[in-house]
Amino acid sequence: LSVDASAKGTLEKPVFFGGMALDLSAVRFRDESLPMVDHFLGDLRFSGTELTFQRFSGDMAGGPFSVTGKVRLDHPAEPVLDLRFQSQGTLVVRNDTLTLRTDSDLRIAGPLKTASVTGRVGITKSRFFREVEILPIGLPGRPAPKRANGWGRISTDVPPFRDWTYHVAVATAEPFAVKGNLANGSIEGNLTLGGTGLAPTLEGTAHIENFVASLPFSRLTVDHGSLYFTGSGVIDPVLDIHGSSRIRDYNINIYLYGTASEPQTLFTSEPSLPQEEVIALLATGATTRDFVQNNQALAGRAAALVFQDIYHKVFSKRTAPPANGTNPFDRFSLDVGGVDPRTGKQELMGRFKLSDQFQFGAGVDMQGDARMQLQYLLRFR
């Protein structure tokens, strides 16, 4: 840091001349989730009652950023800002779960205490990843999860940021990827951040695309889903998510609605089953009637869960996903410990999806009897 400046006038109305230079090769933060800043250079010039940002730039993990503009110092205790912040692919957050990069163009204008922030933020080359041991399903009779204190309230009470006003467009320049051992997909959104730092609002829509969740005994596909942000003081989007799954000879439809803090779920199936039976079928791959008819079915399901848990721990981290994002093994499903509806015996059944209408299946039961099937799916709308 080097300073070559002078001040004249009075304490009430000083006049500045000269400048300040910064040259920081690397800046590290105590918070490990914040990326390191490289090649941070600053060149600030004083001219009367103005401070001009000739250069104020750096690099965050390969993403450059810069600040340009002026700060008026007619009253040093109440500076007036007119700054522009720009970034390109700048890494904002990086940890084991989240990587967030942004392209941004923001303007900060007005008195320091009540400045306004306008512009746009584009989310690019970002992803969310998490290894999940079990995908939870709320079973009937279990109490609803308690709502966390301060749900959906993301704010700051630190002055002067608490009194700043915001009107910023937030959109996904590229789909936000969601990856994991049990779920894969992407999210696209077009939102507007408004309000103040103390009471921010978020308005707009986010869409879920190509989302597939792999439960221990089934595969759930989200045909289409949307999250509607209403712009209220609490960031609590309204859910409209439709999913489907095919387990054995059942077509299952799932509708998730309500709000993110208090979601509601509706299960239906073809052929028709009670909701409790549909949930049991999703969670275990069998209905409660199957367990009553064959007391060994539950043990077979438990053994399959143990096998899948060991498989994910041993092989999932060693196997890289295909470059095109698709996996031919997604067409294959293996049902261990199921019950043959014709004989009531446990069986090992494998199915391969040939197309949206055809699938081929082959299985063998505990007595060694084998069977093969070619199924054609009809949908009535």
Side-chain angles (χ1 to χ4, degrees), residues 29-48:
F29 298 94
R30 291 182 178 179
D31 187 348
E32 295 182 355
S33 66
L34 297 177
M36 185 176 69
V37 179
D38 296 318
H39 310 299
F40 185 72
L41 299 173
D43 184 3
L44 311 180
R45 302 291 178 87
F46 293 103
S47 177

Side-chain angles (χ1 to χ4, degrees), residues 130-206:
R130 175 170 292 177
E131 291 280 352
V132 181
E133 294 294 337
I134 299 176
L135 193 62
I137 297 179
L139 296 176
R142 296 181 60 181
K146 294 183 179 180
R147 180 171 176 166
N149 294 331
W151 167 271
R153 297 188 181 275
I154 304 174
S155 62
T156 177
D157 57 359
V158 178
F161 306 109
R162 67 181 182 185
D163 298 318
W164 285 15
T165 58
Y166 297 86
H167 187 78
V168 179
V170 182
T172 50
E174 297 178 5
F176 182 87
V178 179
K179 302 292 183 181
N181 61 325
L182 297 182
N184 292 278
S186 62
I187 299 175
E188 297 184 9
N190 194 347
L191 310 173
T192 299
L193 174 65
T196 64
L198 186 61
T201 62
L202 200 60
E203 185 175 4
T205 306

